[in-house]
Amino acid sequence: MNRPYPFQDFVRVHDVLKEALVDPAEGYLLVTGETGTGKSALLRELRGELDRTRFRVLYFAESRRLGAAGFVRVIARQLRAPTSLSHAESLHHLLRALGDESQRLLVWIDEAHELPEETLAQARALVEADLDGQGAVQVLLAGLPRLRAELQAHPPLWRRVFIREQITGLVREEVADFLEHHFGKAVERLGDQIQTVLFERAAGSPGILLPMTRTVLAKAGGKGEIDPVAAEDWLDRWDLP
């Protein structure tokens, strides 16, 4: 699998988060962006760069199904803390286990705009149970732009989120290099007009630009430059609900 193409906004957010991940003063990180802008790819990239002897990453992808009790049990099992039918007791054992951990626990929650409020409250409890200020737990929330408004509805939490980044996607000047990174010399078949159409329809989103381009190349077959009119027709059909 290709590594993510390092487009400008991806690199900017990557560098901000990488610095914050190792800062014990940062209990919360927020990264938002529209679908396909590279949030999940960014998390994979960061995870591969972390020192596993210093950090333990727990990644949660399906936030809508992540209930508070299940969230606590999963983390407790990872730390080999006992769990109980009593949620309060499981949380108590987990907090004690965190005090004995040599690694910093990084809890990454993707699609966090769908996270139940009670689960968000438990994540906050883990971060703020650290009365010694050692930064034992850090929570990273990634989701659609509406996640910002949802967090702002909880002022005590929102005020503690100092790192608030939004990833916006590609700019037009990056499209040719981005496509060559993923499709090699086949990108030469896409003239400037088609590349502009692809960029505008994808609104700069890498995750949408890729399947659109794959569709155009597959439909075209053969060799030589692709007809822009035909490409738009294929994209019209691809966009149908």
Side-chain angles (χ1 to χ4, degrees), residues 52-56 79 97-105 136:
R52 300 296 179 89
T53 65
R54 295 177 58 201
F55 303 97
R56 182 197 295 257
L79 300 185
L98 283 170
D100 298 329
E101 271 292 297
S102 60
Q103 294 171 298
R104 189 180 193 201
L105 183 65

Side-chain angles (χ1 to χ4, degrees), residues 3 30 38 53 60 75 103 165 208-209:
R3 292 186 65 185
L30 171 67
T53 65
F60 296 91
I75 298 177
Q103 294 171 298
E165 291 297 323
I208 300 176
L209 190 58

Side-chain angles (χ1 to χ4, degrees), residues 30-42:
L30 171 67
V31 57
T32 56
E34 296 291 351
T35 300
T37 48
K39 299 183 298 297
S40 297
L42 176 62

Side-chain angles (χ1 to χ4, degrees), residues 180-200:
E180 185 174 353
H181 175 81
H182 288 281
F183 298 100
K185 294 302 180 182
V187 73
E188 294 175 0
R189 303 183 62 201
L190 303 168
D192 187 71
Q193 184 176 342
I194 294 178
Q195 290 186 30
T196 297
V197 169
L198 288 166
F199 171 76
E200 290 176 350

Side-chain angles (χ1 to χ4, degrees), residues 8-91:
Q8 181 177 334
D9 208 45
F10 184 97
V11 172
R12 179 188 63 79
V13 178
H14 168 278
D15 291 349
V16 170
L17 294 182
K18 187 171 183 179
E19 182 176 349
L21 284 169
V22 299
D23 185 349
E26 301 295 350
Y28 303 96
L29 309 179
L30 171 67
V31 57
T32 56
E34 296 291 351
T35 300
T37 48
K39 299 183 298 297
S40 297
L42 176 62
L43 296 187
R44 286 193 297 270
E45 188 84 352
L46 287 168
R47 185 170 188 172
E49 296 170 356
L50 286 171
D51 181 350
R52 300 296 179 89
T53 65
R54 295 177 58 201
F55 303 97
R56 182 197 295 257
V57 176
L58 295 185
Y59 174 75
F60 296 91
E62 296 188 31
S63 296
R64 182 184 301 175
R65 301 180 181 180
L66 187 59
F71 175 70
V72 168
R73 283 197 298 269
V74 168
I75 298 177
R77 283 197 291 267
Q78 288 292 322
L79 300 185
R80 298 182 179 179
T83 58
S84 167
L85 292 177
S86 164
H87 173 62
E89 189 172 343
S90 293
L91 180 60

